Amino acid sequence: MKELILLRGLPGAGKSTLASLLSEKKYPVLSIDDYFTDENGYQFEFDKNHLAYKQCLDRTENAMLKQIEKIFVANTFTLDWEIEPYFLLAEKNNYRTHVLTVENYHKSKNIHQINDEQIQKMAVKYKVNLF
């Protein structure tokens, strides 16, 4: 069975780090952050965020079309509209989906310069589906 592993959590939780560990450098780790990262580092541009979401979803679909056994996607996925397309894509391409919620018990700061007030606003919207 092919697997889609979605890692979700607030900025700074360690989603990308955990995805990299779990991928064992054998499987792709995708993120909307990839769109904003180049040889000069990470530079977020809010007005291009929709392009980043599209690119990440497209890259996930391309990996599925290549029949890659495991695909990791590390995004905040705080809102249903962010994660729903991945469920549909997985169903369409016969991937089993796993959702891992990563929590920031280590009190790490995010690399995106998102302040604590903004993260608190994100946290209020964050839903966890336990059943």
Side-chain angles (χ1 to χ4, degrees), residues 81-118:
W81 70 263
E82 295 170 318
I83 201 167
E84 228 13 80
Y86 291 89
F87 294 143
L88 297 173
L89 203 55
E91 185 177 339
K92 173 183 166 188
N93 291 283
N94 201 27
Y95 274 74
R96 183 169 52 182
T97 306
H98 306 274
V99 178
L100 304 175
T101 299
V102 182
E103 298 181 32
N104 191 356
Y105 280 102
H106 52 280
K107 305 285 188 239
S108 180
K109 291 293 182 187
N110 69 86
I111 63 167
H112 311 297
Q113 291 78 46
I114 299 173
N115 65 40
D116 290 343
E117 182 181 334
Q118 290 172 300

Side-chain angles (χ1 to χ4, degrees), residues 7-8 10-25 29-31 33-34 72-75 100 102-104 106 108-112:
L7 291 90
R8 65 188 297 253
L10 295 173
K15 300 174 297 293
S16 298
T17 301
L18 180 58
S20 293
L21 286 168
L22 295 174
S23 75
E24 301 174 346
K25 299 184 185 201
V29 175
L30 308 172
S31 171
D33 288 347
D34 299 340
F72 294 83
V73 180
N75 287 330
L100 304 175
V102 182
E103 298 181 32
N104 191 356
H106 52 280
S108 180
K109 291 293 182 187
N110 69 86
I111 63 167
H112 311 297

Side-chain angles (χ1 to χ4, degrees), residues 69-83:
E69 183 182 349
K70 294 179 187 173
I71 303 166
F72 294 83
V73 180
N75 287 330
T76 55
F77 293 127
T78 56
L79 302 170
D80 288 343
W81 70 263
E82 295 170 318
I83 201 167

Side-chain angles (χ1 to χ4, degrees), residues 2 5 9-10 15 30 36 48 63 75 130:
K2 299 170 294 190
I5 301 96
L10 295 173
K15 300 174 297 293
L30 308 172
F36 300 108
K48 294 186 178 176
N75 287 330
L130 297 177

Side-chain angles (χ1 to χ4, degrees), residues 9-54:
L10 295 173
K15 300 174 297 293
S16 298
T17 301
L18 180 58
S20 293
L21 286 168
L22 295 174
S23 75
E24 301 174 346
K25 299 184 185 201
K26 294 192 286 188
Y27 305 106
V29 175
L30 308 172
S31 171
I32 65 166
D33 288 347
D34 299 340
Y35 183 89
F36 300 108
T37 305
D38 62 18
E39 62 277 351
N40 298 318
Y42 179 84
Q43 185 62 44
F44 180 73
E45 297 177 58
F46 181 78
D47 61 329
K48 294 186 178 176
N49 209 27
H50 67 286
L51 298 172
Y53 278 100
K54 180 166 179 8

